[in-house]
Amino acid sequence: GGQETYNDVTFNHDVNGNYNIQILDGGNTFGDVKFIPLNQKQININDNNTYNSVNIEVNNNNVSTTTNVNVNGTNTFGSFTLLSPGTAGPFLYFHEDNNFGSFTSAGQGTRVFLGSNKTQYVNAFTLLGTGGFPAFLQSTSTGTQADIQKDSGDVCLDYVWVKDIDATGGATFNAGASSQDLGNNAGWNFNSCSGYYWVGNSGNWSD
């Protein structure tokens, strides 16, 4: 139901098959929400809600069973984190305007789609792919830009293919030297920046 307050919620879906995991109704306030789907799942975060944090971890190596995450409505996220240690990263869609304390996506083959003619307001934004499996940042409608707005500071991405994204606000947006400009972007520098790095071992996602 709507207009409710929830504590921490974990969706640990370990059943094979294509199933829907949904948050319904709006006006709710959540603590920390975690999704851990197995194989092909459809995650739908619906309506207008407030979240302390949302964490999604998709460990999938089969491109035919890609997980789709749809964020519908206008939401406020203290933090939103998507990790993809497998080679078949999920597809993540933000269809409306949203507000983020921080957005972080790190992994292989993740595609992040931002609603065309919509704005994602961020205080911190990080998106990292890999050399063999870059991440994608693009609009939901080819040829029509989506906006990311950050008012100050720096944004540092790497191994990201960027298309139809307008970076606005007073921040400096660095796509990274290993990223690719696929066209119809504005406000981005495609050069190196001080981003994230491996802290030990051999540089695998499991380190």
mmCIF file of all heavy atoms in Angstrom, residues 89-141:
data_model
loop_
_atom_site.group_PDB
_atom_site.id
_atom_site.type_symbol
_atom_site.label_atom_id
_atom_site.label_comp_id
_atom_site.label_asym_id
_atom_site.label_seq_id
_atom_site.Cartn_x
_atom_site.Cartn_y
_atom_site.Cartn_z
ATOM 1 N N GLY A 89 25.860 -7.903 -18.184
ATOM 2 C CA GLY A 89 25.317 -6.901 -17.281
ATOM 3 C C GLY A 89 23.854 -6.609 -17.539
ATOM 4 O O GLY A 89 23.324 -6.856 -18.632
ATOM 5 N N PRO A 90 23.161 -6.067 -16.551
ATOM 6 C CA PRO A 90 21.735 -5.778 -16.681
ATOM 7 C C PRO A 90 21.474 -4.527 -17.501
ATOM 8 O O PRO A 90 22.372 -3.733 -17.771
ATOM 9 C CB PRO A 90 21.313 -5.575 -15.225
ATOM 10 C CG PRO A 90 22.537 -5.026 -14.562
ATOM 11 C CD PRO A 90 23.698 -5.719 -15.232
ATOM 12 N N PHE A 91 20.213 -4.353 -17.893
ATOM 13 C CA PHE A 91 19.721 -3.132 -18.522
ATOM 14 C C PHE A 91 18.940 -2.372 -17.449
ATOM 15 O O PHE A 91 17.991 -2.912 -16.872
ATOM 16 C CB PHE A 91 18.808 -3.435 -19.708
ATOM 17 C CG PHE A 91 19.528 -3.944 -20.930
ATOM 18 C CD1 PHE A 91 20.764 -4.552 -20.852
ATOM 19 C CD2 PHE A 91 18.938 -3.809 -22.176
ATOM 20 C CE1 PHE A 91 21.420 -5.023 -21.985
ATOM 21 C CE2 PHE A 91 19.580 -4.277 -23.323
ATOM 22 C CZ PHE A 91 20.823 -4.882 -23.225
ATOM 23 N N LEU A 92 19.324 -1.123 -17.210
ATOM 24 C CA LEU A 92 18.724 -0.305 -16.153
ATOM 25 C C LEU A 92 18.083 0.926 -16.794
ATOM 26 O O LEU A 92 18.760 1.694 -17.487
ATOM 27 C CB LEU A 92 19.802 0.109 -15.143
ATOM 28 C CG LEU A 92 19.429 1.126 -14.070
ATOM 29 C CD1 LEU A 92 18.294 0.618 -13.189
ATOM 30 C CD2 LEU A 92 20.655 1.462 -13.219
ATOM 31 N N TYR A 93 16.788 1.123 -16.556
ATOM 32 C CA TYR A 93 16.033 2.212 -17.165
ATOM 33 C C TYR A 93 15.496 3.148 -16.083
ATOM 34 O O TYR A 93 14.801 2.703 -15.160
ATOM 35 C CB TYR A 93 14.837 1.679 -17.960
ATOM 36 C CG TYR A 93 15.173 0.775 -19.110
ATOM 37 C CD1 TYR A 93 15.403 -0.587 -18.912
ATOM 38 C CD2 TYR A 93 15.251 1.266 -20.415
ATOM 39 C CE1 TYR A 93 15.707 -1.426 -19.971
ATOM 40 C CE2 TYR A 93 15.547 0.431 -21.480
ATOM 41 C CZ TYR A 93 15.767 -0.914 -21.249
ATOM 42 O OH TYR A 93 16.067 -1.760 -22.297
ATOM 43 N N PHE A 94 15.785 4.438 -16.223
ATOM 44 C CA PHE A 94 15.148 5.477 -15.414
ATOM 45 C C PHE A 94 14.227 6.261 -16.351
ATOM 46 O O PHE A 94 14.689 7.037 -17.180
ATOM 47 C CB PHE A 94 16.186 6.400 -14.784
ATOM 48 C CG PHE A 94 17.052 5.729 -13.752
ATOM 49 C CD1 PHE A 94 18.325 5.291 -14.073
ATOM 50 C CD2 PHE A 94 16.578 5.535 -12.458
ATOM 51 C CE1 PHE A 94 19.128 4.674 -13.126
ATOM 52 C CE2 PHE A 94 17.374 4.917 -11.503
ATOM 53 C CZ PHE A 94 18.647 4.485 -11.833
ATOM 54 N N HIS A 95 12.919 6.060 -16.196
ATOM 55 C CA HIS A 95 11.978 6.603 -17.177
ATOM 56 C C HIS A 95 11.553 8.042 -16.879
ATOM 57 O O HIS A 95 11.104 8.741 -17.792
ATOM 58 C CB HIS A 95 10.744 5.704 -17.250
ATOM 59 C CG HIS A 95 11.028 4.327 -17.789
ATOM 60 N ND1 HIS A 95 11.233 4.077 -19.119
ATOM 61 C CD2 HIS A 95 11.160 3.127 -17.163
ATOM 62 C CE1 HIS A 95 11.465 2.789 -19.310
ATOM 63 N NE2 HIS A 95 11.433 2.184 -18.129
ATOM 64 N N GLU A 96 11.663 8.482 -15.634
ATOM 65 C CA GLU A 96 11.217 9.816 -15.249
ATOM 66 C C GLU A 96 12.362 10.563 -14.556
ATOM 67 O O GLU A 96 13.479 10.061 -14.449
ATOM 68 C CB GLU A 96 9.998 9.716 -14.323
ATOM 69 C CG GLU A 96 8.819 8.953 -14.909
ATOM 70 C CD GLU A 96 8.192 9.640 -16.111
ATOM 71 O OE1 GLU A 96 8.344 10.880 -16.250
ATOM 72 O OE2 GLU A 96 7.552 8.945 -16.927
ATOM 73 N N ASP A 97 12.080 11.774 -14.071
ATOM 74 C CA ASP A 97 13.053 12.521 -13.287
ATOM 75 C C ASP A 97 13.286 11.805 -11.955
ATOM 76 O O ASP A 97 12.340 11.290 -11.347
ATOM 77 C CB ASP A 97 12.546 13.933 -12.987
ATOM 78 C CG ASP A 97 12.263 14.753 -14.238
ATOM 79 O OD1 ASP A 97 12.849 14.454 -15.291
ATOM 80 O OD2 ASP A 97 11.461 15.697 -14.147
ATOM 81 N N ASN A 98 14.539 11.805 -11.493
ATOM 82 C CA ASN A 98 14.871 11.220 -10.199
ATOM 83 C C ASN A 98 15.954 12.043 -9.524
ATOM 84 O O ASN A 98 16.701 12.780 -10.176
ATOM 85 C CB ASN A 98 15.357 9.769 -10.358
ATOM 86 C CG ASN A 98 14.251 8.825 -10.792
ATOM 87 O OD1 ASN A 98 13.453 8.376 -9.997
ATOM 88 N ND2 ASN A 98 14.210 8.522 -12.090
ATOM 89 N N ASN A 99 16.020 11.900 -8.198
ATOM 90 C CA ASN A 99 17.025 12.592 -7.398
ATOM 91 C C ASN A 99 17.903 11.568 -6.688
ATOM 92 O O ASN A 99 17.380 10.631 -6.068
ATOM 93 C CB ASN A 99 16.352 13.501 -6.363
ATOM 94 C CG ASN A 99 15.599 14.653 -6.998
ATOM 95 O OD1 ASN A 99 16.174 15.691 -7.311
ATOM 96 N ND2 ASN A 99 14.296 14.462 -7.207
ATOM 97 N N PHE A 100 19.228 11.772 -6.754
ATOM 98 C CA PHE A 100 20.187 10.826 -6.179
ATOM 99 C C PHE A 100 21.162 11.557 -5.269
ATOM 100 O O PHE A 100 21.783 12.551 -5.692
ATOM 101 C CB PHE A 100 21.005 10.140 -7.276
ATOM 102 C CG PHE A 100 20.210 9.377 -8.284
ATOM 103 C CD1 PHE A 100 19.646 10.017 -9.374
ATOM 104 C CD2 PHE A 100 20.033 8.008 -8.161
ATOM 105 C CE1 PHE A 100 18.922 9.323 -10.326
ATOM 106 C CE2 PHE A 100 19.316 7.287 -9.099
ATOM 107 C CZ PHE A 100 18.754 7.948 -10.184
ATOM 108 N N GLY A 101 21.333 11.042 -4.038
ATOM 109 C CA GLY A 101 22.483 11.470 -3.267
ATOM 110 C C GLY A 101 23.740 10.978 -3.950
ATOM 111 O O GLY A 101 24.702 11.722 -4.154
ATOM 112 N N SER A 102 23.744 9.705 -4.356
ATOM 113 C CA SER A 102 24.835 9.158 -5.155
ATOM 114 C C SER A 102 24.298 8.050 -6.041
ATOM 115 O O SER A 102 23.391 7.314 -5.654
ATOM 116 C CB SER A 102 25.965 8.622 -4.261
ATOM 117 O OG SER A 102 25.535 7.502 -3.512
ATOM 118 N N PHE A 103 24.888 7.954 -7.233
ATOM 119 C CA PHE A 103 24.605 6.853 -8.152
ATOM 120 C C PHE A 103 25.928 6.197 -8.490
ATOM 121 O O PHE A 103 26.880 6.867 -8.920
ATOM 122 C CB PHE A 103 23.929 7.335 -9.433
ATOM 123 C CG PHE A 103 23.763 6.237 -10.458
ATOM 124 C CD1 PHE A 103 22.624 5.449 -10.458
ATOM 125 C CD2 PHE A 103 24.753 5.986 -11.398
ATOM 126 C CE1 PHE A 103 22.477 4.418 -11.388
ATOM 127 C CE2 PHE A 103 24.620 4.980 -12.331
ATOM 128 C CZ PHE A 103 23.478 4.189 -12.325
ATOM 129 N N THR A 104 26.011 4.853 -8.321
ATOM 130 C CA THR A 104 27.220 4.108 -8.630
ATOM 131 C C THR A 104 26.854 2.846 -9.387
ATOM 132 O O THR A 104 26.004 2.074 -8.944
ATOM 133 C CB THR A 104 27.980 3.709 -7.351
ATOM 134 O OG1 THR A 104 28.298 4.882 -6.596
ATOM 135 C CG2 THR A 104 29.264 2.970 -7.693
ATOM 136 N N SER A 105 27.480 2.643 -10.539
ATOM 137 C CA SER A 105 27.329 1.401 -11.282
ATOM 138 C C SER A 105 28.713 0.948 -11.714
ATOM 139 O O SER A 105 29.437 1.688 -12.388
ATOM 140 C CB SER A 105 26.429 1.590 -12.501
ATOM 141 O OG SER A 105 26.370 0.396 -13.271
ATOM 142 N N ALA A 106 29.085 -0.264 -11.322
ATOM 143 C CA ALA A 106 30.387 -0.819 -11.691
ATOM 144 C C ALA A 106 30.196 -2.258 -12.126
ATOM 145 O O ALA A 106 29.541 -3.039 -11.435
ATOM 146 C CB ALA A 106 31.360 -0.744 -10.508
ATOM 147 N N GLY A 107 30.740 -2.599 -13.281
ATOM 148 C CA GLY A 107 30.589 -3.971 -13.740
ATOM 149 C C GLY A 107 30.794 -4.092 -15.230
ATOM 150 O O GLY A 107 31.307 -3.189 -15.890
ATOM 151 N N GLN A 108 30.348 -5.192 -15.761
ATOM 152 C CA GLN A 108 30.624 -5.547 -17.140
ATOM 153 C C GLN A 108 29.343 -5.566 -17.967
ATOM 154 O O GLN A 108 28.395 -6.254 -17.640
ATOM 155 C CB GLN A 108 31.293 -6.928 -17.190
ATOM 156 C CG GLN A 108 32.537 -7.014 -16.306
ATOM 157 C CD GLN A 108 33.301 -8.294 -16.518
ATOM 158 O OE1 GLN A 108 34.125 -8.395 -17.426
ATOM 159 N NE2 GLN A 108 33.042 -9.285 -15.690
ATOM 160 N N GLY A 109 29.341 -4.785 -19.041
ATOM 161 C CA GLY A 109 28.239 -4.829 -19.984
ATOM 162 C C GLY A 109 26.950 -4.194 -19.512
ATOM 163 O O GLY A 109 25.901 -4.394 -20.129
ATOM 164 N N THR A 110 26.988 -3.399 -18.455
ATOM 165 C CA THR A 110 25.778 -2.748 -17.957
ATOM 166 C C THR A 110 25.334 -1.653 -18.917
ATOM 167 O O THR A 110 26.151 -0.892 -19.430
ATOM 168 C CB THR A 110 26.030 -2.139 -16.569
ATOM 169 O OG1 THR A 110 26.412 -3.175 -15.667
ATOM 170 C CG2 THR A 110 24.787 -1.447 -16.041
ATOM 171 N N ARG A 111 24.040 -1.576 -19.161
ATOM 172 C CA ARG A 111 23.474 -0.498 -19.977
ATOM 173 C C ARG A 111 22.538 0.338 -19.110
ATOM 174 O O ARG A 111 21.587 -0.188 -18.530
ATOM 175 C CB ARG A 111 22.705 -1.049 -21.182
ATOM 176 C CG ARG A 111 23.607 -1.711 -22.226
ATOM 177 C CD ARG A 111 22.785 -2.295 -23.369
ATOM 178 N NE ARG A 111 23.634 -2.928 -24.364
ATOM 179 C CZ ARG A 111 23.934 -2.392 -25.549
ATOM 180 N NH1 ARG A 111 23.465 -1.197 -25.859
ATOM 181 N NH2 ARG A 111 24.698 -3.041 -26.397
ATOM 182 N N VAL A 112 22.819 1.633 -19.030
ATOM 183 C CA VAL A 112 22.009 2.561 -18.251
ATOM 184 C C VAL A 112 21.287 3.477 -19.227
ATOM 185 O O VAL A 112 21.920 4.225 -19.988
ATOM 186 C CB VAL A 112 22.869 3.379 -17.267
ATOM 187 C CG1 VAL A 112 21.993 4.359 -16.482
ATOM 188 C CG2 VAL A 112 23.620 2.446 -16.313
ATOM 189 N N PHE A 113 19.956 3.421 -19.216
ATOM 190 C CA PHE A 113 19.116 4.234 -20.084
ATOM 191 C C PHE A 113 18.432 5.317 -19.244
ATOM 192 O O PHE A 113 17.762 5.002 -18.255
ATOM 193 C CB PHE A 113 18.037 3.388 -20.761
ATOM 194 C CG PHE A 113 18.566 2.342 -21.708
ATOM 195 C CD1 PHE A 113 18.954 1.097 -21.243
ATOM 196 C CD2 PHE A 113 18.663 2.608 -23.062
ATOM 197 C CE1 PHE A 113 19.430 0.127 -22.110
ATOM 198 C CE2 PHE A 113 19.138 1.639 -23.944
ATOM 199 C CZ PHE A 113 19.531 0.401 -23.468
ATOM 200 N N LEU A 114 18.587 6.576 -19.653
ATOM 201 C CA LEU A 114 17.950 7.690 -18.966
ATOM 202 C C LEU A 114 16.803 8.208 -19.828
ATOM 203 O O LEU A 114 16.925 8.307 -21.050
ATOM 204 C CB LEU A 114 18.956 8.815 -18.707
ATOM 205 C CG LEU A 114 20.259 8.398 -18.007
ATOM 206 C CD1 LEU A 114 21.134 9.622 -17.774
ATOM 207 C CD2 LEU A 114 19.971 7.676 -16.703
ATOM 208 N N GLY A 115 15.699 8.538 -19.187
ATOM 209 C CA GLY A 115 14.517 8.959 -19.910
ATOM 210 C C GLY A 115 14.770 10.166 -20.795
ATOM 211 O O GLY A 115 15.329 11.179 -20.348
ATOM 212 N N SER A 116 14.397 10.062 -22.062
ATOM 213 C CA SER A 116 14.577 11.188 -22.974
ATOM 214 C C SER A 116 13.738 12.377 -22.501
ATOM 215 O O SER A 116 12.604 12.222 -22.035
ATOM 216 C CB SER A 116 14.184 10.789 -24.396
ATOM 217 O OG SER A 116 12.818 10.418 -24.458
ATOM 218 N N ASN A 117 14.339 13.557 -22.593
ATOM 219 C CA ASN A 117 13.713 14.798 -22.120
ATOM 220 C C ASN A 117 13.417 14.779 -20.614
ATOM 221 O O ASN A 117 12.582 15.556 -20.141
ATOM 222 C CB ASN A 117 12.432 15.100 -22.899
ATOM 223 C CG ASN A 117 12.696 15.458 -24.350
ATOM 224 O OD1 ASN A 117 13.646 16.173 -24.662
ATOM 225 N ND2 ASN A 117 11.857 14.952 -25.254
ATOM 226 N N LYS A 118 14.089 13.905 -19.888
ATOM 227 C CA LYS A 118 13.979 13.854 -18.429
ATOM 228 C C LYS A 118 15.336 14.202 -17.820
ATOM 229 O O LYS A 118 16.359 14.190 -18.497
ATOM 230 C CB LYS A 118 13.519 12.477 -17.944
ATOM 231 C CG LYS A 118 12.203 12.004 -18.546
ATOM 232 C CD LYS A 118 11.054 12.899 -18.130
ATOM 233 C CE LYS A 118 9.729 12.390 -18.713
ATOM 234 N NZ LYS A 118 8.589 13.263 -18.335
ATOM 235 N N THR A 119 15.342 14.513 -16.516
ATOM 236 C CA THR A 119 16.569 14.909 -15.839
ATOM 237 C C THR A 119 16.807 14.052 -14.612
ATOM 238 O O THR A 119 15.897 13.860 -13.797
ATOM 239 C CB THR A 119 16.524 16.390 -15.420
ATOM 240 O OG1 THR A 119 16.320 17.208 -16.577
ATOM 241 C CG2 THR A 119 17.827 16.808 -14.749
ATOM 242 N N GLN A 120 18.035 13.553 -14.490
ATOM 243 C CA GLN A 120 18.483 12.849 -13.296
ATOM 244 C C GLN A 120 19.365 13.822 -12.509
ATOM 245 O O GLN A 120 20.418 14.250 -12.991
ATOM 246 C CB GLN A 120 19.251 11.582 -13.651
ATOM 247 C CG GLN A 120 18.544 10.680 -14.661
ATOM 248 C CD GLN A 120 17.142 10.282 -14.267
ATOM 249 O OE1 GLN A 120 16.901 9.882 -13.127
ATOM 250 N NE2 GLN A 120 16.203 10.389 -15.209
ATOM 251 N N TYR A 121 18.921 14.189 -11.310
ATOM 252 C CA TYR A 121 19.640 15.137 -10.467
ATOM 253 C C TYR A 121 20.540 14.350 -9.515
ATOM 254 O O TYR A 121 20.051 13.530 -8.728
ATOM 255 C CB TYR A 121 18.663 15.998 -9.677
ATOM 256 C CG TYR A 121 17.730 16.806 -10.549
ATOM 257 C CD1 TYR A 121 16.482 16.309 -10.923
ATOM 258 C CD2 TYR A 121 18.093 18.069 -10.999
ATOM 259 C CE1 TYR A 121 15.623 17.044 -11.725
ATOM 260 C CE2 TYR A 121 17.243 18.819 -11.801
ATOM 261 C CZ TYR A 121 16.003 18.292 -12.163
ATOM 262 O OH TYR A 121 15.154 19.033 -12.954
ATOM 263 N N VAL A 122 21.862 14.580 -9.592
ATOM 264 C CA VAL A 122 22.810 13.768 -8.827
ATOM 265 C C VAL A 122 23.741 14.667 -8.016
ATOM 266 O O VAL A 122 24.135 15.753 -8.461
ATOM 267 C CB VAL A 122 23.642 12.862 -9.756
ATOM 268 C CG1 VAL A 122 22.736 11.911 -10.540
ATOM 269 C CG2 VAL A 122 24.510 13.669 -10.700
ATOM 270 N N ASN A 123 24.094 14.194 -6.825
ATOM 271 C CA ASN A 123 25.174 14.815 -6.065
ATOM 272 C C ASN A 123 26.499 14.112 -6.338
ATOM 273 O O ASN A 123 27.562 14.713 -6.205
ATOM 274 C CB ASN A 123 24.862 14.781 -4.559
ATOM 275 C CG ASN A 123 23.741 15.724 -4.187
ATOM 276 O OD1 ASN A 123 23.580 16.786 -4.790
ATOM 277 N ND2 ASN A 123 22.939 15.336 -3.205
ATOM 278 N N ALA A 124 26.448 12.826 -6.681
ATOM 279 C CA ALA A 124 27.626 12.061 -7.070
ATOM 280 C C ALA A 124 27.202 11.041 -8.109
ATOM 281 O O ALA A 124 26.137 10.424 -7.981
ATOM 282 C CB ALA A 124 28.265 11.376 -5.862
ATOM 283 N N PHE A 125 28.033 10.846 -9.145
ATOM 284 C CA PHE A 125 27.671 9.940 -10.228
ATOM 285 C C PHE A 125 28.920 9.209 -10.700
ATOM 286 O O PHE A 125 29.904 9.836 -11.117
ATOM 287 C CB PHE A 125 27.062 10.718 -11.400
ATOM 288 C CG PHE A 125 26.526 9.847 -12.496
ATOM 289 C CD1 PHE A 125 25.238 9.338 -12.424
ATOM 290 C CD2 PHE A 125 27.306 9.539 -13.612
ATOM 291 C CE1 PHE A 125 24.736 8.534 -13.445
ATOM 292 C CE2 PHE A 125 26.816 8.744 -14.638
ATOM 293 C CZ PHE A 125 25.522 8.238 -14.542
ATOM 294 N N THR A 126 28.892 7.874 -10.633
ATOM 295 C CA THR A 126 30.021 7.048 -11.066
ATOM 296 C C THR A 126 29.499 5.900 -11.914
ATOM 297 O O THR A 126 28.563 5.212 -11.525
ATOM 298 C CB THR A 126 30.788 6.468 -9.855
ATOM 299 O OG1 THR A 126 31.267 7.533 -9.046
ATOM 300 C CG2 THR A 126 31.964 5.624 -10.323
ATOM 301 N N LEU A 127 30.100 5.699 -13.076
ATOM 302 C CA LEU A 127 29.742 4.587 -13.957
ATOM 303 C C LEU A 127 31.032 4.039 -14.549
ATOM 304 O O LEU A 127 31.791 4.765 -15.198
ATOM 305 C CB LEU A 127 28.791 5.054 -15.053
ATOM 306 C CG LEU A 127 28.362 4.023 -16.101
ATOM 307 C CD1 LEU A 127 27.682 2.826 -15.455
ATOM 308 C CD2 LEU A 127 27.420 4.678 -17.128
ATOM 309 N N LEU A 128 31.295 2.747 -14.318
ATOM 310 C CA LEU A 128 32.531 2.115 -14.759
ATOM 311 C C LEU A 128 32.228 0.807 -15.479
ATOM 312 O O LEU A 128 31.489 -0.029 -14.968
ATOM 313 C CB LEU A 128 33.448 1.827 -13.568
ATOM 314 C CG LEU A 128 33.897 3.020 -12.728
ATOM 315 C CD1 LEU A 128 34.599 2.543 -11.471
ATOM 316 C CD2 LEU A 128 34.803 3.936 -13.532
ATOM 317 N N GLY A 129 32.786 0.636 -16.654
ATOM 318 C CA GLY A 129 32.749 -0.639 -17.346
ATOM 319 C C GLY A 129 34.132 -1.271 -17.319
ATOM 320 O O GLY A 129 34.958 -0.951 -16.464
ATOM 321 N N THR A 130 34.390 -2.163 -18.258
ATOM 322 C CA THR A 130 35.721 -2.765 -18.403
ATOM 323 C C THR A 130 36.125 -2.709 -19.873
ATOM 324 O O THR A 130 35.301 -2.419 -20.749
ATOM 325 C CB THR A 130 35.744 -4.226 -17.921
ATOM 326 O OG1 THR A 130 34.944 -5.028 -18.807
ATOM 327 C CG2 THR A 130 35.216 -4.360 -16.501
ATOM 328 N N GLY A 131 37.410 -3.008 -20.146
ATOM 329 C CA GLY A 131 37.877 -2.964 -21.526
ATOM 330 C C GLY A 131 37.165 -3.947 -22.424
ATOM 331 O O GLY A 131 36.838 -3.641 -23.572
ATOM 332 N N GLY A 132 36.897 -5.140 -21.942
ATOM 333 C CA GLY A 132 36.228 -6.152 -22.756
ATOM 334 C C GLY A 132 34.720 -6.012 -22.786
ATOM 335 O O GLY A 132 34.069 -6.426 -23.746
ATOM 336 N N PHE A 133 34.152 -5.424 -21.722
ATOM 337 C CA PHE A 133 32.699 -5.290 -21.608
ATOM 338 C C PHE A 133 32.375 -3.885 -21.093
ATOM 339 O O PHE A 133 32.110 -3.692 -19.911
ATOM 340 C CB PHE A 133 32.129 -6.353 -20.664
ATOM 341 C CG PHE A 133 32.352 -7.763 -21.121
ATOM 342 C CD1 PHE A 133 33.474 -8.463 -20.725
ATOM 343 C CD2 PHE A 133 31.447 -8.380 -21.975
ATOM 344 C CE1 PHE A 133 33.696 -9.762 -21.151
ATOM 345 C CE2 PHE A 133 31.663 -9.674 -22.413
ATOM 346 C CZ PHE A 133 32.790 -10.370 -22.010
ATOM 347 N N PRO A 134 32.406 -2.889 -21.985
ATOM 348 C CA PRO A 134 32.129 -1.520 -21.544
ATOM 349 C C PRO A 134 30.690 -1.351 -21.090
ATOM 350 O O PRO A 134 29.806 -2.120 -21.474
ATOM 351 C CB PRO A 134 32.414 -0.685 -22.800
ATOM 352 C CG PRO A 134 32.196 -1.631 -23.938
ATOM 353 C CD PRO A 134 32.654 -2.966 -23.442
ATOM 354 N N ALA A 135 30.478 -0.339 -20.277
ATOM 355 C CA ALA A 135 29.118 0.058 -19.906
ATOM 356 C C ALA A 135 28.583 1.022 -20.966
ATOM 357 O O ALA A 135 29.342 1.615 -21.735
ATOM 358 C CB ALA A 135 29.118 0.721 -18.536
ATOM 359 N N PHE A 136 27.268 1.167 -21.021
ATOM 360 C CA PHE A 136 26.623 2.100 -21.931
ATOM 361 C C PHE A 136 25.798 3.091 -21.121
ATOM 362 O O PHE A 136 25.128 2.715 -20.147
ATOM 363 C CB PHE A 136 25.696 1.364 -22.904
ATOM 364 C CG PHE A 136 26.413 0.559 -23.951
ATOM 365 C CD1 PHE A 136 26.978 -0.670 -23.648
ATOM 366 C CD2 PHE A 136 26.538 1.035 -25.254
ATOM 367 C CE1 PHE A 136 27.640 -1.412 -24.603
ATOM 368 C CE2 PHE A 136 27.198 0.298 -26.223
ATOM 369 C CZ PHE A 136 27.755 -0.940 -25.901
ATOM 370 N N LEU A 137 25.850 4.349 -21.526
ATOM 371 C CA LEU A 137 25.012 5.393 -20.940
ATOM 372 C C LEU A 137 24.320 6.089 -22.092
ATOM 373 O O LEU A 137 24.962 6.718 -22.936
ATOM 374 C CB LEU A 137 25.866 6.379 -20.140
ATOM 375 C CG LEU A 137 25.132 7.558 -19.494
ATOM 376 C CD1 LEU A 137 24.130 7.074 -18.453
ATOM 377 C CD2 LEU A 137 26.129 8.529 -18.863
ATOM 378 N N GLN A 138 22.992 5.971 -22.159
ATOM 379 C CA GLN A 138 22.283 6.485 -23.314
ATOM 380 C C GLN A 138 20.852 6.870 -22.960
ATOM 381 O O GLN A 138 20.340 6.525 -21.890
ATOM 382 C CB GLN A 138 22.276 5.441 -24.434
ATOM 383 C CG GLN A 138 21.674 4.107 -24.056
ATOM 384 C CD GLN A 138 22.061 3.000 -25.018
ATOM 385 O OE1 GLN A 138 22.938 2.206 -24.743
ATOM 386 N NE2 GLN A 138 21.366 2.933 -26.156
ATOM 387 N N SER A 139 20.231 7.591 -23.866
ATOM 388 C CA SER A 139 18.838 7.981 -23.714
ATOM 389 C C SER A 139 17.920 6.819 -24.071
ATOM 390 O O SER A 139 18.302 5.909 -24.808
ATOM 391 C CB SER A 139 18.546 9.184 -24.617
ATOM 392 O OG SER A 139 17.163 9.462 -24.695
ATOM 393 N N THR A 140 16.697 6.871 -23.553
ATOM 394 C CA THR A 140 15.714 5.847 -23.908
ATOM 395 C C THR A 140 15.200 6.022 -25.330
ATOM 396 O O THR A 140 14.584 5.112 -25.876
ATOM 397 C CB THR A 140 14.525 5.874 -22.938
ATOM 398 O OG1 THR A 140 13.961 7.191 -22.912
ATOM 399 C CG2 THR A 140 14.946 5.465 -21.523
ATOM 400 N N SER A 141 15.462 7.179 -25.938
ATOM 401 C CA SER A 141 14.995 7.428 -27.300
ATOM 402 C C SER A 141 16.173 7.890 -28.146
ATOM 403 O O SER A 141 16.747 8.966 -27.898
ATOM 404 C CB SER A 141 13.890 8.491 -27.304
ATOM 405 O OG SER A 141 13.446 8.768 -28.620
#
